[in-house]
PDB file of all heavy atoms in Angstrom:
ATOM      1  N   VAL A 310     -18.189 -41.671 -13.756  1.00 95.00           N
ATOM      2  CA  VAL A 310     -16.720 -41.782 -13.684  1.00 95.00           C
ATOM      3  C   VAL A 310     -16.098 -40.967 -14.811  1.00 95.00           C
ATOM      4  O   VAL A 310     -15.122 -40.219 -14.605  1.00 95.00           O
ATOM      5  CB  VAL A 310     -16.286 -43.266 -13.788  1.00 95.00           C
ATOM      6  CG1 VAL A 310     -14.762 -43.377 -13.847  1.00 95.00           C
ATOM      7  CG2 VAL A 310     -16.834 -44.062 -12.612  1.00 95.00           C
ATOM      8  N   GLU A 311     -16.686 -41.072 -16.003  1.00 94.00           N
ATOM      9  CA  GLU A 311     -16.186 -40.283 -17.147  1.00 94.00           C
ATOM     10  C   GLU A 311     -16.284 -38.780 -16.852  1.00 94.00           C
ATOM     11  O   GLU A 311     -15.335 -38.027 -17.096  1.00 94.00           O
ATOM     12  CB  GLU A 311     -17.017 -40.618 -18.387  1.00 94.00           C
ATOM     13  CG  GLU A 311     -16.728 -39.725 -19.582  1.00 94.00           C
ATOM     14  CD  GLU A 311     -17.998 -39.253 -20.278  1.00 94.00           C
ATOM     15  OE1 GLU A 311     -19.096 -39.695 -19.911  1.00 94.00           O
ATOM     16  OE2 GLU A 311     -17.869 -38.413 -21.190  1.00 94.00           O
ATOM     17  N   GLN A 312     -17.443 -38.372 -16.320  1.00 95.00           N
ATOM     18  CA  GLN A 312     -17.646 -36.933 -16.074  1.00 95.00           C
ATOM     19  C   GLN A 312     -16.689 -36.397 -15.001  1.00 95.00           C
ATOM     20  O   GLN A 312     -16.198 -35.267 -15.114  1.00 95.00           O
ATOM     21  CB  GLN A 312     -19.099 -36.689 -15.653  1.00 95.00           C
ATOM     22  CG  GLN A 312     -20.106 -36.910 -16.772  1.00 95.00           C
ATOM     23  CD  GLN A 312     -19.988 -35.866 -17.867  1.00 95.00           C
ATOM     24  OE1 GLN A 312     -19.643 -34.718 -17.615  1.00 95.00           O
ATOM     25  NE2 GLN A 312     -20.259 -36.263 -19.105  1.00 95.00           N
ATOM     26  N   MET A 313     -16.421 -37.201 -13.974  1.00 96.00           N
ATOM     27  CA  MET A 313     -15.449 -36.761 -12.968  1.00 96.00           C
ATOM     28  C   MET A 313     -14.059 -36.658 -13.606  1.00 96.00           C
ATOM     29  O   MET A 313     -13.255 -35.793 -13.247  1.00 96.00           O
ATOM     30  CB  MET A 313     -15.422 -37.750 -11.788  1.00 96.00           C
ATOM     31  CG  MET A 313     -16.695 -37.757 -10.949  1.00 96.00           C
ATOM     32  SD  MET A 313     -17.118 -36.143 -10.230  1.00 96.00           S
ATOM     33  CE  MET A 313     -18.545 -35.694 -11.223  1.00 96.00           C
ATOM     34  N   GLY A 314     -13.807 -37.534 -14.582  1.00 96.00           N
ATOM     35  CA  GLY A 314     -12.542 -37.443 -15.320  1.00 96.00           C
ATOM     36  C   GLY A 314     -12.447 -36.155 -16.115  1.00 96.00           C
ATOM     37  O   GLY A 314     -11.386 -35.520 -16.168  1.00 96.00           O
ATOM     38  N   ILE A 315     -13.556 -35.742 -16.734  1.00 96.00           N
ATOM     39  CA  ILE A 315     -13.564 -34.476 -17.488  1.00 96.00           C
ATOM     40  C   ILE A 315     -13.257 -33.300 -16.567  1.00 96.00           C
ATOM     41  O   ILE A 315     -12.457 -32.413 -16.903  1.00 96.00           O
ATOM     42  CB  ILE A 315     -14.939 -34.288 -18.170  1.00 96.00           C
ATOM     43  CG1 ILE A 315     -15.151 -35.348 -19.256  1.00 96.00           C
ATOM     44  CG2 ILE A 315     -15.049 -32.892 -18.772  1.00 96.00           C
ATOM     45  CD1 ILE A 315     -16.539 -35.329 -19.871  1.00 96.00           C
ATOM     46  N   ILE A 316     -13.895 -33.305 -15.395  1.00 97.00           N
ATOM     47  CA  ILE A 316     -13.683 -32.200 -14.446  1.00 97.00           C
ATOM     48  C   ILE A 316     -12.227 -32.186 -13.963  1.00 97.00           C
ATOM     49  O   ILE A 316     -11.591 -31.127 -13.885  1.00 97.00           O
ATOM     50  CB  ILE A 316     -14.664 -32.342 -13.257  1.00 97.00           C
ATOM     51  CG1 ILE A 316     -16.100 -32.157 -13.752  1.00 97.00           C
ATOM     52  CG2 ILE A 316     -14.340 -31.331 -12.165  1.00 97.00           C
ATOM     53  CD1 ILE A 316     -17.156 -32.619 -12.768  1.00 97.00           C
ATOM     54  N   ALA A 317     -11.687 -33.371 -13.658  1.00 96.00           N
ATOM     55  CA  ALA A 317     -10.285 -33.445 -13.209  1.00 96.00           C
ATOM     56  C   ALA A 317      -9.348 -32.993 -14.325  1.00 96.00           C
ATOM     57  O   ALA A 317      -8.353 -32.292 -14.066  1.00 96.00           O
ATOM     58  CB  ALA A 317      -9.955 -34.876 -12.781  1.00 96.00           C
ATOM     59  N   PHE A 318      -9.659 -33.383 -15.559  1.00 96.00           N
ATOM     60  CA  PHE A 318      -8.842 -32.962 -16.697  1.00 96.00           C
ATOM     61  C   PHE A 318      -8.817 -31.429 -16.788  1.00 96.00           C
ATOM     62  O   PHE A 318      -7.749 -30.822 -16.967  1.00 96.00           O
ATOM     63  CB  PHE A 318      -9.426 -33.559 -17.986  1.00 96.00           C
ATOM     64  CG  PHE A 318      -8.726 -33.135 -19.248  1.00 96.00           C
ATOM     65  CD1 PHE A 318      -7.556 -33.758 -19.660  1.00 96.00           C
ATOM     66  CD2 PHE A 318      -9.248 -32.114 -20.033  1.00 96.00           C
ATOM     67  CE1 PHE A 318      -6.911 -33.359 -20.827  1.00 96.00           C
ATOM     68  CE2 PHE A 318      -8.612 -31.711 -21.199  1.00 96.00           C
ATOM     69  CZ  PHE A 318      -7.439 -32.338 -21.602  1.00 96.00           C
ATOM     70  N   ALA A 319      -9.994 -30.805 -16.669  1.00 96.00           N
ATOM     71  CA  ALA A 319     -10.069 -29.336 -16.769  1.00 96.00           C
ATOM     72  C   ALA A 319      -9.310 -28.660 -15.636  1.00 96.00           C
ATOM     73  O   ALA A 319      -8.622 -27.649 -15.848  1.00 96.00           O
ATOM     74  CB  ALA A 319     -11.526 -28.903 -16.759  1.00 96.00           C
ATOM     75  N   ILE A 320      -9.407 -29.216 -14.422  1.00 95.00           N
ATOM     76  CA  ILE A 320      -8.686 -28.633 -13.281  1.00 95.00           C
ATOM     77  C   ILE A 320      -7.183 -28.804 -13.471  1.00 95.00           C
ATOM     78  O   ILE A 320      -6.386 -27.903 -13.162  1.00 95.00           O
ATOM     79  CB  ILE A 320      -9.166 -29.274 -11.969  1.00 95.00           C
ATOM     80  CG1 ILE A 320     -10.619 -28.875 -11.703  1.00 95.00           C
ATOM     81  CG2 ILE A 320      -8.278 -28.873 -10.796  1.00 95.00           C
ATOM     82  CD1 ILE A 320     -11.273 -29.644 -10.575  1.00 95.00           C
ATOM     83  N   GLY A 321      -6.778 -29.965 -13.981  1.00 94.00           N
ATOM     84  CA  GLY A 321      -5.352 -30.200 -14.213  1.00 94.00           C
ATOM     85  C   GLY A 321      -4.775 -29.258 -15.250  1.00 94.00           C
ATOM     86  O   GLY A 321      -3.643 -28.787 -15.111  1.00 94.00           O
ATOM     87  N   ILE A 322      -5.543 -28.960 -16.301  1.00 92.00           N
ATOM     88  CA  ILE A 322      -5.091 -27.976 -17.302  1.00 92.00           C
ATOM     89  C   ILE A 322      -4.961 -26.608 -16.650  1.00 92.00           C
ATOM     90  O   ILE A 322      -3.999 -25.870 -16.891  1.00 92.00           O
ATOM     91  CB  ILE A 322      -6.080 -27.911 -18.491  1.00 92.00           C
ATOM     92  CG1 ILE A 322      -6.114 -29.249 -19.233  1.00 92.00           C
ATOM     93  CG2 ILE A 322      -5.703 -26.767 -19.427  1.00 92.00           C
ATOM     94  CD1 ILE A 322      -4.854 -29.606 -19.951  1.00 92.00           C
ATOM     95  N   GLY A 323      -5.948 -26.257 -15.824  1.00 87.00           N
ATOM     96  CA  GLY A 323      -5.863 -25.038 -15.027  1.00 87.00           C
ATOM     97  C   GLY A 323      -6.114 -23.764 -15.796  1.00 87.00           C
ATOM     98  O   GLY A 323      -6.633 -23.765 -16.911  1.00 87.00           O
ATOM     99  N   GLY A 324      -5.688 -22.649 -15.206  1.00 88.00           N
ATOM    100  CA  GLY A 324      -5.983 -21.337 -15.773  1.00 88.00           C
ATOM    101  C   GLY A 324      -7.398 -20.927 -15.408  1.00 88.00           C
ATOM    102  O   GLY A 324      -8.242 -21.772 -15.087  1.00 88.00           O
ATOM    103  N   GLU A 325      -7.653 -19.635 -15.462  1.00 89.00           N
ATOM    104  CA  GLU A 325      -8.977 -19.159 -15.050  1.00 89.00           C
ATOM    105  C   GLU A 325     -10.082 -19.749 -15.928  1.00 89.00           C
ATOM    106  O   GLU A 325     -11.125 -20.192 -15.427  1.00 89.00           O
ATOM    107  CB  GLU A 325      -9.037 -17.636 -15.118  1.00 89.00           C
ATOM    108  CG  GLU A 325     -10.358 -17.081 -14.594  1.00 89.00           C
ATOM    109  CD  GLU A 325     -10.405 -15.563 -14.636  1.00 89.00           C
ATOM    110  OE1 GLU A 325      -9.341 -14.939 -14.698  1.00 89.00           O
ATOM    111  OE2 GLU A 325     -11.523 -15.010 -14.631  1.00 89.00           O
ATOM    112  N   VAL A 326      -9.843 -19.797 -17.255  1.00 92.00           N
ATOM    113  CA  VAL A 326     -10.857 -20.334 -18.166  1.00 92.00           C
ATOM    114  C   VAL A 326     -11.110 -21.817 -17.876  1.00 92.00           C
ATOM    115  O   VAL A 326     -12.260 -22.274 -17.822  1.00 92.00           O
ATOM    116  CB  VAL A 326     -10.423 -20.136 -19.634  1.00 92.00           C
ATOM    117  CG1 VAL A 326     -11.412 -20.814 -20.582  1.00 92.00           C
ATOM    118  CG2 VAL A 326     -10.312 -18.659 -19.953  1.00 92.00           C
ATOM    119  N   GLY A 327     -10.030 -22.571 -17.686  1.00 93.00           N
ATOM    120  CA  GLY A 327     -10.168 -24.001 -17.412  1.00 93.00           C
ATOM    121  C   GLY A 327     -10.921 -24.267 -16.122  1.00 93.00           C
ATOM    122  O   GLY A 327     -11.768 -25.171 -16.058  1.00 93.00           O
ATOM    123  N   LEU A 328     -10.633 -23.482 -15.091  1.00 95.00           N
ATOM    124  CA  LEU A 328     -11.293 -23.699 -13.805  1.00 95.00           C
ATOM    125  C   LEU A 328     -12.761 -23.281 -13.856  1.00 95.00           C
ATOM    126  O   LEU A 328     -13.626 -23.941 -13.263  1.00 95.00           O
ATOM    127  CB  LEU A 328     -10.552 -22.947 -12.705  1.00 95.00           C
ATOM    128  CG  LEU A 328      -9.150 -23.489 -12.394  1.00 95.00           C
ATOM    129  CD1 LEU A 328      -8.410 -22.578 -11.426  1.00 95.00           C
ATOM    130  CD2 LEU A 328      -9.243 -24.896 -11.813  1.00 95.00           C
ATOM    131  N   VAL A 329     -13.042 -22.174 -14.554  1.00 96.00           N
ATOM    132  CA  VAL A 329     -14.449 -21.772 -14.726  1.00 96.00           C
ATOM    133  C   VAL A 329     -15.214 -22.874 -15.460  1.00 96.00           C
ATOM    134  O   VAL A 329     -16.332 -23.243 -15.076  1.00 96.00           O
ATOM    135  CB  VAL A 329     -14.539 -20.438 -15.505  1.00 96.00           C
ATOM    136  CG1 VAL A 329     -15.971 -20.187 -15.979  1.00 96.00           C
ATOM    137  CG2 VAL A 329     -14.076 -19.284 -14.634  1.00 96.00           C
ATOM    138  N   ALA A 330     -14.590 -23.415 -16.518  1.00 96.00           N
ATOM    139  CA  ALA A 330     -15.236 -24.488 -17.281  1.00 96.00           C
ATOM    140  C   ALA A 330     -15.430 -25.732 -16.423  1.00 96.00           C
ATOM    141  O   ALA A 330     -16.461 -26.417 -16.525  1.00 96.00           O
ATOM    142  CB  ALA A 330     -14.404 -24.815 -18.516  1.00 96.00           C
ATOM    143  N   ALA A 331     -14.452 -26.038 -15.564  1.00 96.00           N
ATOM    144  CA  ALA A 331     -14.574 -27.207 -14.685  1.00 96.00           C
ATOM    145  C   ALA A 331     -15.737 -27.051 -13.716  1.00 96.00           C
ATOM    146  O   ALA A 331     -16.521 -27.984 -13.500  1.00 96.00           O
ATOM    147  CB  ALA A 331     -13.269 -27.419 -13.916  1.00 96.00           C
ATOM    148  N   LEU A 332     -15.854 -25.870 -13.124  1.00 97.00           N
ATOM    149  CA  LEU A 332     -16.952 -25.626 -12.180  1.00 97.00           C
ATOM    150  C   LEU A 332     -18.300 -25.651 -12.888  1.00 97.00           C
ATOM    151  O   LEU A 332     -19.291 -26.158 -12.353  1.00 97.00           O
ATOM    152  CB  LEU A 332     -16.739 -24.271 -11.482  1.00 97.00           C
ATOM    153  CG  LEU A 332     -15.502 -24.198 -10.579  1.00 97.00           C
ATOM    154  CD1 LEU A 332     -15.236 -22.759 -10.147  1.00 97.00           C
ATOM    155  CD2 LEU A 332     -15.686 -25.088  -9.344  1.00 97.00           C
ATOM    156  N   LEU A 333     -18.327 -25.101 -14.104  1.00 96.00           N
ATOM    157  CA  LEU A 333     -19.565 -25.142 -14.887  1.00 96.00           C
ATOM    158  C   LEU A 333     -19.925 -26.580 -15.258  1.00 96.00           C
ATOM    159  O   LEU A 333     -21.097 -26.966 -15.248  1.00 96.00           O
ATOM    160  CB  LEU A 333     -19.389 -24.289 -16.149  1.00 96.00           C
ATOM    161  CG  LEU A 333     -20.656 -23.968 -16.950  1.00 96.00           C
ATOM    162  CD1 LEU A 333     -21.679 -23.239 -16.077  1.00 96.00           C
ATOM    163  CD2 LEU A 333     -20.304 -23.112 -18.169  1.00 96.00           C
ATOM    164  N   GLN A 334     -18.903 -27.388 -15.572  1.00 96.00           N
ATOM    165  CA  GLN A 334     -19.132 -28.797 -15.901  1.00 96.00           C
ATOM    166  C   GLN A 334     -19.703 -29.537 -14.688  1.00 96.00           C
ATOM    167  O   GLN A 334     -20.581 -30.398 -14.828  1.00 96.00           O
ATOM    168  CB  GLN A 334     -17.822 -29.448 -16.349  1.00 96.00           C
ATOM    169  CG  GLN A 334     -17.932 -30.903 -16.754  1.00 96.00           C
ATOM    170  CD  GLN A 334     -18.535 -31.099 -18.143  1.00 96.00           C
ATOM    171  OE1 GLN A 334     -18.747 -30.133 -18.853  1.00 96.00           O
ATOM    172  NE2 GLN A 334     -18.817 -32.328 -18.510  1.00 96.00           N
ATOM    173  N   MET A 335     -19.192 -29.214 -13.505  1.00 97.00           N
ATOM    174  CA  MET A 335     -19.733 -29.813 -12.274  1.00 97.00           C
ATOM    175  C   MET A 335     -21.229 -29.575 -12.180  1.00 97.00           C
ATOM    176  O   MET A 335     -22.022 -30.495 -11.948  1.00 97.00           O
ATOM    177  CB  MET A 335     -19.071 -29.165 -11.041  1.00 97.00           C
ATOM    178  CG  MET A 335     -17.809 -29.809 -10.569  1.00 97.00           C
ATOM    179  SD  MET A 335     -17.362 -29.004  -9.006  1.00 97.00           S
ATOM    180  CE  MET A 335     -15.874 -29.901  -8.651  1.00 97.00           C
ATOM    181  N   PHE A 336     -21.613 -28.318 -12.350  1.00 97.00           N
ATOM    182  CA  PHE A 336     -23.029 -27.956 -12.217  1.00 97.00           C
ATOM    183  C   PHE A 336     -23.855 -28.620 -13.313  1.00 97.00           C
ATOM    184  O   PHE A 336     -24.902 -29.222 -13.039  1.00 97.00           O
ATOM    185  CB  PHE A 336     -23.171 -26.426 -12.292  1.00 97.00           C
ATOM    186  CG  PHE A 336     -24.581 -25.947 -12.116  1.00 97.00           C
ATOM    187  CD1 PHE A 336     -25.103 -25.720 -10.849  1.00 97.00           C
ATOM    188  CD2 PHE A 336     -25.404 -25.739 -13.218  1.00 97.00           C
ATOM    189  CE1 PHE A 336     -26.415 -25.299 -10.690  1.00 97.00           C
ATOM    190  CE2 PHE A 336     -26.715 -25.315 -13.062  1.00 97.00           C
ATOM    191  CZ  PHE A 336     -27.220 -25.092 -11.795  1.00 97.00           C
ATOM    192  N   ASN A 337     -23.389 -28.521 -14.551  1.00 96.00           N
ATOM    193  CA  ASN A 337     -24.146 -29.067 -15.685  1.00 96.00           C
ATOM    194  C   ASN A 337     -24.323 -30.584 -15.566  1.00 96.00           C
ATOM    195  O   ASN A 337     -25.394 -31.122 -15.830  1.00 96.00           O
ATOM    196  CB  ASN A 337     -23.429 -28.731 -17.000  1.00 96.00           C
ATOM    197  CG  ASN A 337     -23.431 -27.243 -17.273  1.00 96.00           C
ATOM    198  OD1 ASN A 337     -24.307 -26.516 -16.785  1.00 96.00           O
ATOM    199  ND2 ASN A 337     -22.475 -26.770 -18.043  1.00 96.00           N
ATOM    200  N   HIS A 338     -23.234 -31.267 -15.205  1.00 96.00           N
ATOM    201  CA  HIS A 338     -23.319 -32.719 -15.063  1.00 96.00           C
ATOM    202  C   HIS A 338     -24.310 -33.106 -13.968  1.00 96.00           C
ATOM    203  O   HIS A 338     -25.091 -34.056 -14.123  1.00 96.00           O
ATOM    204  CB  HIS A 338     -21.945 -33.315 -14.750  1.00 96.00           C
ATOM    205  CG  HIS A 338     -22.029 -34.736 -14.263  1.00 96.00           C
ATOM    206  ND1 HIS A 338     -21.763 -35.093 -12.960  1.00 96.00           N
ATOM    207  CD2 HIS A 338     -22.392 -35.872 -14.890  1.00 96.00           C
ATOM    208  CE1 HIS A 338     -21.950 -36.391 -12.822  1.00 96.00           C
ATOM    209  NE2 HIS A 338     -22.316 -36.889 -13.963  1.00 96.00           N
ATOM    210  N   ALA A 339     -24.283 -32.375 -12.862  1.00 97.00           N
ATOM    211  CA  ALA A 339     -25.193 -32.694 -11.753  1.00 97.00           C
ATOM    212  C   ALA A 339     -26.647 -32.582 -12.197  1.00 97.00           C
ATOM    213  O   ALA A 339     -27.486 -33.430 -11.840  1.00 97.00           O
ATOM    214  CB  ALA A 339     -24.928 -31.756 -10.576  1.00 97.00           C
ATOM    215  N   MET A 340     -26.951 -31.559 -12.988  1.00 97.00           N
ATOM    216  CA  MET A 340     -28.336 -31.377 -13.427  1.00 97.00           C
ATOM    217  C   MET A 340     -28.745 -32.511 -14.382  1.00 97.00           C
ATOM    218  O   MET A 340     -29.814 -33.106 -14.245  1.00 97.00           O
ATOM    219  CB  MET A 340     -28.484 -30.024 -14.143  1.00 97.00           C
ATOM    220  CG  MET A 340     -28.172 -28.796 -13.305  1.00 97.00           C
ATOM    221  SD  MET A 340     -29.187 -28.638 -11.825  1.00 97.00           S
ATOM    222  CE  MET A 340     -27.972 -28.958 -10.538  1.00 97.00           C
ATOM    223  N   ALA A 341     -27.899 -32.785 -15.369  1.00 96.00           N
ATOM    224  CA  ALA A 341     -28.255 -33.797 -16.376  1.00 96.00           C
ATOM    225  C   ALA A 341     -28.255 -35.206 -15.802  1.00 96.00           C
ATOM    226  O   ALA A 341     -29.169 -35.996 -16.064  1.00 96.00           O
ATOM    227  CB  ALA A 341     -27.276 -33.704 -17.551  1.00 96.00           C
ATOM    228  N   LYS A 342     -27.238 -35.541 -14.992  1.00 95.00           N
ATOM    229  CA  LYS A 342     -27.133 -36.919 -14.510  1.00 95.00           C
ATOM    230  C   LYS A 342     -28.210 -37.236 -13.472  1.00 95.00           C
ATOM    231  O   LYS A 342     -28.718 -38.358 -13.450  1.00 95.00           O
ATOM    232  CB  LYS A 342     -25.729 -37.141 -13.913  1.00 95.00           C
ATOM    233  CG  LYS A 342     -25.417 -38.593 -13.531  1.00 95.00           C
ATOM    234  CD  LYS A 342     -25.605 -39.573 -14.663  1.00 95.00           C
ATOM    235  CE  LYS A 342     -24.658 -39.351 -15.825  1.00 95.00           C
ATOM    236  NZ  LYS A 342     -23.247 -39.491 -15.520  1.00 95.00           N
ATOM    237  N   SER A 343     -28.558 -36.257 -12.632  1.00 96.00           N
ATOM    238  CA  SER A 343     -29.641 -36.533 -11.674  1.00 96.00           C
ATOM    239  C   SER A 343     -30.949 -36.784 -12.423  1.00 96.00           C
ATOM    240  O   SER A 343     -31.728 -37.662 -12.038  1.00 96.00           O
ATOM    241  CB  SER A 343     -29.780 -35.371 -10.682  1.00 96.00           C
ATOM    242  OG  SER A 343     -30.047 -34.157 -11.364  1.00 96.00           O
ATOM    243  N   THR A 344     -31.184 -36.029 -13.506  1.00 96.00           N
ATOM    244  CA  THR A 344     -32.381 -36.275 -14.320  1.00 96.00           C
ATOM    245  C   THR A 344     -32.339 -37.678 -14.921  1.00 96.00           C
ATOM    246  O   THR A 344     -33.347 -38.396 -14.931  1.00 96.00           O
ATOM    247  CB  THR A 344     -32.468 -35.242 -15.460  1.00 96.00           C
ATOM    248  OG1 THR A 344     -32.445 -33.932 -14.898  1.00 96.00           O
ATOM    249  CG2 THR A 344     -33.749 -35.417 -16.258  1.00 96.00           C
ATOM    250  N   LEU A 345     -31.170 -38.079 -15.397  1.00 96.00           N
ATOM    251  CA  LEU A 345     -31.040 -39.405 -16.003  1.00 96.00           C
ATOM    252  C   LEU A 345     -31.317 -40.517 -14.998  1.00 96.00           C
ATOM    253  O   LEU A 345     -32.013 -41.491 -15.310  1.00 96.00           O
ATOM    254  CB  LEU A 345     -29.632 -39.562 -16.577  1.00 96.00           C
ATOM    255  CG  LEU A 345     -29.412 -39.040 -17.992  1.00 96.00           C
ATOM    256  CD1 LEU A 345     -27.960 -39.155 -18.387  1.00 96.00           C
ATOM    257  CD2 LEU A 345     -30.287 -39.792 -18.988  1.00 96.00           C
TER     258      LEU A 345
END
Side-chain angles (χ1 to χ4, degrees):
V310 175
E311 172 225 354
Q312 291 292 328
M313 292 302 108
I315 293 174
I316 294 165
F318 177 82
I320 293 170
I322 296 293
E325 185 179 340
V326 175
L328 292 172
V329 166
L332 295 170
L333 192 58
Q334 182 77 7
M335 271 187 180
F336 182 86
N337 294 335
H338 166 250
M340 299 301 110
K342 187 55 64 62
S343 59
T344 304
L345 274 175

